[in-house]
Amino acid sequence: LRKNKVQVFAPTREQAKIEWSKAYAMRIAEKYEIPGAPAFDVIESVKELEKLGAFSRKFGTSFVVKADGLMGGKGVFVGGDHFHNLKDARKITRQLLERGPVVLQEKLEGVEFSGHYIAGGGVFFTCPYSQDHKRAFEGDKGPNTGGMGSYSDESHSLPFLSQKDLSQARKIAEAVFEAVKKETGSGYTGVLYPAFMKTSAGIKWLELNCRFGDPEVVNILPILNDDFAEVAYAAATRKLKRISELEFRGVATVVRYGAPKGYPEKPSSGDLIKINEKEIKKVGRVYYGDARLEKEEAGVKTIKTMESRTFAIFAEGKNLVVAKQKAGNAFKSHVEGEYHSRGDIPDFNRIKRLKRHFGIK
Ligand code: AMP
Ligand code: GLY
């Protein structure tokens, strides 16, 4: 595209390596001293397997084994969760090495959240912070999924984050932009989405993505007051400076996915779901995923489930209680059929525990 003089709202392939090679991301973090990075090592081949022993002497089983490249969320093995001793970690590492390098990371303990930043022409803007819910079932149980839903509060933050946390997160993003510019010789254009972890030692990060998160993007774009096409074009043409700041409406947002029953392990595809779009549009929005349209009548769509997440409902409110309730009502009153969704997004008891744990008022 760029060769053909098309303006692109995305990093170059070389810059996008921060997402498609975890080893590259960690090495850049080390070289440019990006704050909040976990301790790491890279195993290039079985000859270097002894690095695993050294890592384990330092961290016990409190470490994570990751495939270097993109594995659709299936290349990450967490100590204490997916393996419980060095022998099993070695087995996993050997298997992953058949497909490429392996990254070892210190296991970070805390609560995960997502940051999104839009950059171009030497400036960058912060989007609302949000939290994905990756586990299939309520109470964060069950297997990992593509993401069952996410939320963001009316101050564009999360209730368990302090101002200091937000400024630490932003500093990490700034350091990533600077590092990428130094390393690749050109400024970053597009979206940076670090997966952050709030730990007892401050804000850390686990990985860097160069795109919007799914479902988190649905917490962000519907409440953007500016025209997103204009923002993207300004960033692509390095004129983002002309916009003084992105403007987001001051509302809390909740996104919940509906997925086939049995998702992700044994998705029941071919089930019919009736979605009363006309009614839902009065309180929120519907987005479709892996769905086939069967019928549409008077604002009611009948869709068929496939293998992956079928549809998402977005709702907003003056606070999280209202937004959660609206999303819940939309599912209860305006969606009929066989599907699976999580009703605990967000879980206010969990939020209360986290606030107490981190001493947030
Ligand atoms: P990733 O694909 O790197 O985002 O990893 C998938 C999931 O594994 C993350 O959402 C975390 O829950 C977990 N994870 C990855 N890296 C770490 C780490 N260094 N410490 C703790 N958990 C991690
Ligand atoms: N929210 C998870 C992802 O988009 O990778």
Side-chain angles (χ1 to χ4, degrees):
L1 286 168
R2 285 194 168 105
K3 241 184 245 157
N4 289 296
K5 305 265 184 288
V6 176
Q7 304 294 349
V8 182
F9 176 64
T12 61
R13 179 180 159 79
E14 193 191 358
Q15 294 172 335
K17 196 166 180 181
I18 56 169
E19 175 164 352
W20 60 262
S21 168
K22 292 180 198 283
Y24 178 83
M26 297 316 300
R27 282 174 176 146
I28 291 236
E30 183 173 51
K31 183 167 167 192
Y32 298 98
E33 296 177 8
I34 296 172
F40 79 102
D41 208 342
V42 180
I43 301 181
E44 298 281 351
S45 71
V46 276
K47 278 193 223 109
E48 296 179 356
L49 256 182
E50 83 277 2
K51 284 184 179 175
L52 192 62
F55 214 75
S56 153
R57 274 193 292 283
K58 237 193 203 146
F59 296 104
T61 52
S62 196
F63 66 94
V64 181
V65 179
K66 301 184 179 191
D68 175 52
L70 300 174
M71 297 273 285
K74 291 179 182 75
V76 176
F77 298 85
V78 181
D81 206 355
H82 300 98
F83 64 86
H84 300 275
N85 53 53
L86 183 58
K87 196 171 147 234
D88 292 345
R90 194 174 281 124
K91 208 156 100 191
I92 289 166
T93 307
R94 269 183 188 283
Q95 260 160 20
L96 291 178
L97 278 170
E98 285 171 21
R99 308 185 49 172
V102 168
V103 177
L104 307 177
Q105 266 183 358
E106 146 196 24
K107 179 177 173 181
L108 302 174
E109 306 278 359
V111 51
E112 276 180 77
F113 64 99
S114 307
H116 288 80
Y117 308 89
I118 292 181
V123 295
F124 75 95
F125 297 134
T126 306
C127 296
Y129 289 87
S130 53
Q131 188 183 47
D132 189 7
H133 292 63
K134 289 188 181 171
R135 299 299 191 107
F137 309 126
E138 291 181 5
D140 287 326
K141 299 206 166 64
N144 269 324
T145 70
M148 293 305 296
S150 50
Y151 75 95
S152 178
D153 75 16
E154 64 276 18
S155 57
H156 305 144
S157 178
L158 296 158
F160 53 84
L161 296 177
S162 66
Q163 282 306 319
K164 189 174 159 214
D165 294 331
L166 299 183
S167 84
Q168 274 184 19
R170 201 181 145 90
K171 276 200 191 107
I172 290 169
E174 190 171 12
V176 173
F177 289 128
E178 275 170 20
V180 169
K181 181 161 188 189
K182 281 189 197 137
E183 186 70 13
T184 65
S186 62
Y188 190 96
T189 300
V191 178
L192 174 70
Y193 150 31
F196 290 118
M197 181 88 88
K198 173 164 174 156
T199 73
S200 53
I203 303 298
K204 310 254 179 178
W205 54 273
L206 322 164
E207 62 164 14
L208 304 172
N209 300 298
C210 56
R211 56 178 171 85
F212 278 115
D214 173 7
E216 295 97 314
V217 64
V218 186
N219 296 96
I220 296 172
L221 292 188
I223 65 165
L224 176 64
N225 267 340
D226 310 82
D227 179 339
F228 178 61
E230 273 171 26
V231 172
Y233 188 74
T237 52
R238 330 208 117 249
K239 293 193 180 91
L240 202 54
K241 260 200 252 8
R242 289 196 187 157
I243 302 173
S244 57
E245 187 52 275
L246 293 185
E247 228 181 82
F248 293 94
R249 279 184 289 120
V251 289
T253 59
V254 169
V255 182
R256 275 176 58 187
Y257 260 108
K261 290 239 161 197
Y263 171 80
E265 280 161 353
K266 281 194 206 125
S268 157
S269 54
D271 289 339
L272 294 179
I273 305 173
K274 239 169 137 175
I275 298 186
N276 191 333
E277 249 186 29
K278 206 169 105 196
E279 285 303 315
I280 295 172
K281 276 184 182 158
K282 292 179 187 164
V283 292
R285 299 180 184 216
V286 193
Y287 294 92
Y288 294 95
D290 202 9
R292 290 291 171 274
L293 181 63
E294 289 288 304
K295 200 167 83 183
E296 184 169 6
E297 227 169 33
V300 180
K301 280 188 178 145
T302 304
I303 56 169
K304 200 152 98 180
T305 62
M306 311 296 287
E307 301 278 302
S308 199
R309 293 167 298 168
T310 320
F311 66 100
I313 289 181
F314 158 91
E316 61 177 71
K318 66 177 199 298
N319 55 38
L320 281 170
V321 173
V322 176
K324 181 181 179 179
Q325 207 161 32
K326 279 194 194 166
N329 284 342
F331 272 95
K332 227 182 286 154
S333 311
H334 307 306
V335 180
E336 264 174 60
E338 291 288 308
Y339 66 90
H340 162 63
S341 182
R342 273 183 66 169
D344 65 340
I345 299 173
D347 176 341
F348 292 114
N349 287 325
R350 177 163 185 252
I351 288 177
K352 223 185 278 169
R353 282 199 304 276
L354 287 172
K355 284 172 77 170
R356 204 179 311 127
H357 178 78
F358 289 114
I360 305 272
K361 292 238 174 63

